[in-house]
Amino acid sequence: MSHADVLKNLGFTDAELTGGTLAVRSPIDGAEVAQVRETTVDEMTAVIANAQAAFRAWRTVPAPRRGELVRLLGEELRASKEDLAALVTLEAGKIVSEGLGEVQEMIDICDFAVGISRQLYGLTIASERPGHTMTETWHPMGPCGVISAFNFPVAVWSWNAALALVCGNPVIWKPSEKTPLTALACQKIMERALVRFGDAPAHLSQVVIGGAEIGDALVQSKDVPVLSATGSTRMGSIVGPRVAARWGRSILELGGNNAMIVAPSADLEMAVRAIVFSAVGTAGQRCTSLRRLIVHNSVRDDLVGRLKKAYASLPVGDPRDAATLIGPLVDQASGEAMQSALAQAKEQGGAVFGGAPAEGPKGGVYVQPALVEMPGQSAIVKHETFAPILYVMSYDTLDEAIAMQNDVPQGLSSCIFTLDLREANQFLSAAGSDCGIANVNIGPSGAEIGGAFGGEKETGGGRESGADAWKGYMRRQTSTVNFSAELPLAQGVKFDI
């Protein structure tokens, strides 16, 4: 399917794809596929005001009715799954199955959020005062800003939007400048759901296109009480303090430098399959990609030998080809960052296997994944490079391995391969992994929406999806009702007049 066919199938018109100031290029072949119109900073005032107006209407709609809109969105996503997935491949360079998987994740979160719409539970609290009842309830916050990254161009929006909408909040989405078309396509899909819903307020879902100045308008506005931002640690270090300074709430999903510990008892065949997918899937451009492999000395040579054999056989190329497992890096800058990291690894004592340019459609940046054996956890190992680079290091004791895993600034995802029950439980204990996600006998990449997603330290501390992530989009209110004829004070205080 050609680039033009993908866009046509999603209902894009020539007017939407031409005449704008933002050039959109496909990482598949570097071809310019659109010139889209950017939102101006001056327009952001009206965008945010429109979201506030939508909030005043939407917050009074019963939550199960709000859930109906998200149910319809899920239906529309099912109907458009293959077309939207093809656009993810076109614009982000993901292989076909990963594009389809990302849209399936959107469908899954819609299903999840519909259930949550009937479970926005509060509490009834025992009061110490006779004739009093106390309750804790949850209420909508207001417009939610969503700033997303190129590597999951549609799923991240859905994680936030599905929950925000059932919680009573409008959504303003600023996608990555590298992937605006997927956002515009999602807005078209949402608009079909809104038409079927019938009586939702205008401007409940809005998309704004542009660079840092557009994102900054969301970050700085007191009328956007919740700001979810996915991206680099550098970006989060700017966004978080600015949102906090105006007393807003941020949900930050930032960098990851994820490790796997391979213990002496590990099933190496299973570990190899998990390592390869986690390290090279999406060309190493996931925040949950495996970047550090910490292997017990007794199995290191065996495991590295198996990995080199597997790496040498991986098909790299056009992501639209069903046989391809590794598509392109998103742009030339990513390729340059990968080569710079490999050069630094060599300077710091590393032995590099792979990492050379690979064949693919002309104009795209295709590379062989790299396996780098390191003498220790040097500076470059502690730095997250968004590319298919896997650093391999050794350990003797589990305590040593866990300390090495935790000795990086990021704290997103982690895992251990072991058949030893004691080792598995130590890894999952308070003295084990310090990450938001900790797995046993499964890689760090590929989270399900039923569990809270996010991490600690420089990963930002935010959580999306999962059982209680909806609370991030709502405000808590404690209420006390006195149904007696007396006025006792708490803690036995006497104040008679």
Side-chain angles (χ1 to χ4, degrees):
M1 189 186 302
S2 70
H3 297 344
D5 289 337
V6 171
L7 297 170
K8 181 179 178 181
N9 289 348
L10 285 162
F12 282 98
T13 65
D14 288 343
E16 292 171 315
L17 299 174
T18 58
T21 54
L22 178 60
V24 183
R25 295 186 179 276
S26 173
I28 294 174
D29 54 10
E32 183 178 288
V33 295
Q35 292 179 338
V36 299
R37 180 186 175 278
E38 295 182 80
T39 308
T40 67
V41 173
D42 290 342
E43 289 173 319
M44 289 301 295
T45 300
V47 167
I48 294 169
N50 287 337
Q52 278 286 344
F55 171 60
R56 289 189 287 273
W58 191 239
R59 66 186 176 183
T60 64
V61 175
R65 173 66 177 153
R66 299 191 298 247
E68 173 64 7
L69 172 60
V70 176
R71 188 188 71 80
L72 293 171
L73 173 61
E75 286 190 357
E76 293 296 335
L77 286 168
R78 284 179 169 86
S80 300
K81 180 177 178 178
E82 291 190 1
D83 290 333
L84 183 57
L87 182 55
V88 170
T89 294
L90 166 67
E91 200 172 38
K94 290 191 174 185
I95 64 173
V96 171
S97 67
E98 287 189 312
L100 289 167
E102 181 165 352
V103 181
Q104 184 59 50
E105 193 166 23
M106 302 175 77
I107 295 167
D108 293 345
I109 191 63
C110 285
D111 290 349
F112 185 82
V114 172
I116 291 292
S117 71
R118 293 182 179 270
Q119 299 178 75
L120 303 177
Y121 298 140
L123 296 172
T124 300
I125 306 165
S127 174
E128 67 186 62
R129 291 168 284 183
H132 287 59
T133 59
M134 293 178 64
T135 58
E136 178 183 276
T137 54
W138 295 84
H139 300 292
M141 286 281 290
C144 296
V146 178
I147 298 174
S148 60
F150 78 87
N151 60 328
F152 277 85
V154 292
V156 169
W157 167 74
S158 68
W159 297 346
N160 287 277
L163 291 179
L165 287 168
V166 300
C167 289
N169 306 311
V171 177
I172 305 170
W173 181 14
K174 193 208 90 66
S176 166
E177 304 96 297
K178 297 177 183 179
T179 53
L181 295 174
T182 44
L184 295 171
C186 288
Q187 181 66 10
K188 289 176 178 287
I189 293 168
M190 170 62 86
E191 286 169 358
R192 292 200 290 272
L194 287 164
V195 168
R196 292 176 61 191
F197 184 80
D199 59 351
H203 308 296
L204 192 58
S205 173
Q206 299 179 85
V207 174
V208 293
I209 303 295
E213 68 282 358
I214 299 302
D216 192 54
L218 293 173
V219 169
Q220 300 281 22
S221 176
K222 291 185 177 181
D223 290 326
V224 182
V226 179
L227 195 288
S228 173
T230 300
S232 68
T233 295
R234 183 196 63 80
M235 179 272 287
S237 70
I238 298 169
V239 169
R242 288 183 180 176
V243 174
R246 47 96 167 169
W247 307 106
R249 180 184 299 173
S250 60
I251 301 172
L252 299 178
E253 298 287 358
L254 310 174
N257 194 345
N258 315 294
M260 177 191 293
I261 297 171
V262 181
S265 66
D267 181 329
L268 294 187
E269 182 180 348
M270 188 164 66
V272 167
R273 295 202 306 271
I275 290 164
V276 174
F277 168 71
S278 299
V280 310
T282 321
Q285 297 172 117
R286 293 184 175 212
C287 54
T288 54
S289 290
L290 179 62
R291 310 205 181 279
R292 296 177 295 135
L293 188 61
I294 304 168
V295 190
H296 194 271
N297 273 308
S298 65
V299 295
R300 174 171 172 160
D301 290 345
D302 187 359
L303 180 59
V304 170
R306 295 182 190 217
L307 286 173
K308 286 182 177 179
K309 184 178 180 180
Y311 268 46
S313 67
L314 292 172
V316 181
D318 191 327
R320 296 167 297 187
D321 186 334
T324 297
L325 291 180
I326 305 174
L329 293 174
V330 71
D331 55 24
Q332 186 64 42
S334 294
E336 292 169 359
M338 178 176 178
Q339 296 309 315
S340 173
L342 292 177
Q344 292 177 63
K346 290 179 182 178
E347 291 173 359
Q348 294 167 24
V352 177
F353 175 84
E359 292 187 8
K362 187 177 180 180
V365 181
Y366 295 85
V367 294
Q368 296 288 343
L371 198 65
V372 185
E373 295 188 73
M374 297 295 294
Q377 191 155 259
S378 64
I380 190 60
V381 178
K382 293 183 180 184
H383 172 76
E384 180 191 27
T385 302
F386 233 51
I389 300 174
L390 180 61
Y391 300 105
V392 183
M393 296 159 290
S394 300
Y395 79 93
D396 290 311
T397 68
L398 183 59
D399 285 343
E400 176 191 354
I402 291 173
M404 188 184 300
Q405 179 203 275
N406 293 346
D407 188 26
V408 293
Q410 311 87 353
L412 178 52
S413 192
S414 60
C415 59
I416 186 171
F417 269 72
T418 180
L419 300 181
D420 186 316
L421 186 62
R422 288 180 174 176
E423 287 187 325
N425 280 279
Q426 180 179 342
F427 180 77
L428 299 177
S429 74
S433 169
D434 66 357
C435 296
I437 299 170
N439 298 330
V440 176
N441 294 330
I442 187 172
S445 190
E448 299 178 33
I449 56 88
F453 181 87
E456 302 304 324
K457 301 187 292 188
E458 289 187 6
T459 302
R463 293 295 186 275
E464 293 167 329
S465 297
D468 65 351
W470 60 268
K471 293 179 180 179
Y473 307 90
M474 304 194 85
R475 59 181 176 88
R476 185 186 341 226
Q477 186 175 85
T478 300
S479 303
T480 304
V481 175
N482 179 4
F483 61 90
S484 75
E486 305 296 331
L487 193 64
L489 301 178
Q491 292 85 48
V493 172
K494 298 297 183 183
F495 199 85
D496 296 326
I497 59 173

